[in-house]
Amino acid sequence: RRHHHHRRHHLLRQRLREVKTMKNKLSILFASLVLSAGILGSMVYVNEANTALKETNHWQNLEGEKLSLAALYAQGKLDRVGKRRLAAAYRQDGELDKSAELLRKLWIEPASAEDFSKDAQELASLYSEMGAFDSAMESYRSILDFDKARLSGADAQIGRDLTNLAACHYLKACCQSEPLARRKELQQSLNLYGDARRTIAAVDTISLEKRKQMLEVIDGNMQLARLDL
C-alpha cells in the first residue's frame, strides 16, 4: 500500500512537470504571436512594476511595494492602475487568491473597452495559472463576445481572443487523465485554432509579414495539439 501511495505521488509530480512544460511551450508561442501582431497589446501580462522588481533586492522591493499599495487600497486611494499593480504584486508573491479577488472587482467596475479587455485577460491568465481552466475559459469567452460585438468579424483582436481560448482548452486537456475527456478538449482547442486562423487570414489591417508570422505561430500551436490528440 505504501508503495502504491508513493507511486501515485510520483506520477502526480511527473504530470505537473509535464503540464508546466506545456505551459512554457505555449507561453513562448503566444508571446511570439503577440509580438508579431504589434497592434494587439500583450497577451501575457507584463507587470507594470517590473522596473523596480528587476533590482538586486527583488523580493524586498516586492514586499515593500505590496504593503504600500495594500495600505493605500485599504484607504480607498488607489486608482485602476494602482489596483493592477497591487494585483500584480500579489501574483508575483504567490498570493494568487488575493490577486484574483482584486482583479474580479476590477473586471466588474465600469471601464473603457481597453481597460475591460486588459483586466479580463489578466484575470483569465491568472485563472489558468491557478489551474481553474473553466473560470479562465469563462473570462476568455466574455472577452471574445465583447470584442465580437464592437469589432468587425475579421479583426486581429478577435483572432487573439480565439487563440487564448484555444490555449486554455489545450492546457485543460493536458490535465485530463481520462482519454475521452482529454480528446474532447484537444479537439475543441483545434477547432478554435482553426477559427483563429481563418480570422487572422482575413484581417486586412496588418501587414502581410505580420499576418504570415501570426499564422505560422497558430499553425505551430495546432501541430502541438495534434501531436497530443
Side-chain angles (χ1 to χ4, degrees):
R1 182 178 300 172
R2 181 176 301 174
H3 171 74
H4 290 307
H5 176 74
H6 286 308
R7 178 168 176 75
R8 282 197 302 272
H9 277 279
H10 171 73
L11 291 174
L12 178 59
R13 288 194 298 270
Q14 183 179 14
R15 189 61 181 160
L16 288 173
R17 284 195 297 268
E18 290 174 356
V19 172
K20 185 175 181 181
T21 300
M22 291 298 182
K23 283 185 177 182
N24 289 338
K25 288 180 180 178
L26 287 169
S27 294
I28 292 170
L29 290 173
F30 300 152
S32 299
L33 176 60
V34 173
L35 289 173
S36 67
I39 63 170
L40 296 184
S42 178
M43 187 184 304
V44 179
Y45 182 74
V46 179
N47 183 357
E48 296 177 34
N50 270 350
T51 301
L53 299 183
K54 286 178 181 176
E55 295 180 10
T56 307
N57 53 348
H58 170 97
W59 296 110
Q60 226 174 6
N61 286 337
L62 175 63
E63 185 66 18
E65 181 186 41
K66 185 181 70 174
L67 292 175
S68 175
L69 290 170
L72 291 171
Y73 178 66
Q75 299 169 31
K77 295 181 178 180
L78 278 187
D79 60 10
R80 197 175 195 94
V81 173
K83 291 173 184 176
R84 284 193 192 120
R85 290 177 61 195
L86 178 57
Y90 281 139
R91 186 172 182 175
Q92 288 263 344
D93 209 23
E95 297 183 78
L96 303 186
D97 289 336
K98 287 185 177 181
S99 182
E101 180 182 1
L102 189 51
L103 288 169
R104 279 193 295 268
K105 291 178 179 178
L106 269 181
W107 190 25
I108 62 176
E109 286 182 8
S112 66
E114 181 181 352
D115 283 335
F116 171 84
S117 182
K118 179 183 290 188
D119 294 327
Q121 285 182 58
E122 173 59 4
L123 179 60
S125 169
L126 179 58
Y127 278 143
S128 292
E129 183 178 332
M130 296 169 73
F133 298 116
D134 289 338
S135 295
M137 285 187 281
E138 180 184 0
S139 298
Y140 281 134
R141 285 193 191 98
S142 73
I143 302 168
L144 176 60
D145 291 342
F146 178 75
D147 284 339
K148 279 184 174 181
R150 70 187 184 92
L151 301 169
S152 67
D155 191 281
Q157 291 189 44
I158 293 175
R160 174 207 61 193
D161 298 340
L162 288 164
T163 301
N164 282 338
L165 192 51
C168 204
H169 278 281
Y170 177 79
L171 290 176
K172 183 179 179 181
C174 292
C175 296
Q176 301 298 309
S177 58
E178 207 280 314
L180 287 178
R182 177 184 174 88
R183 187 176 182 83
K184 177 183 177 182
E185 295 298 332
L186 287 171
Q187 190 58 60
Q188 184 65 18
S189 176
L190 283 169
N191 291 343
L192 287 162
Y193 277 133
D195 292 342
R197 197 186 195 291
R198 284 186 289 275
T199 299
I200 294 299
V203 172
D204 58 6
T205 56
I206 57 177
S207 69
L208 291 175
E209 181 61 27
K210 285 180 180 178
R211 184 189 299 126
K212 179 175 179 289
Q213 291 172 354
M214 294 171 73
L215 291 175
E216 286 176 350
V217 172
I218 291 175
D219 288 343
N221 290 354
M222 294 180 75
Q223 183 179 8
L224 187 63
R226 287 194 188 101
L227 288 173
D228 288 331
L229 192 61

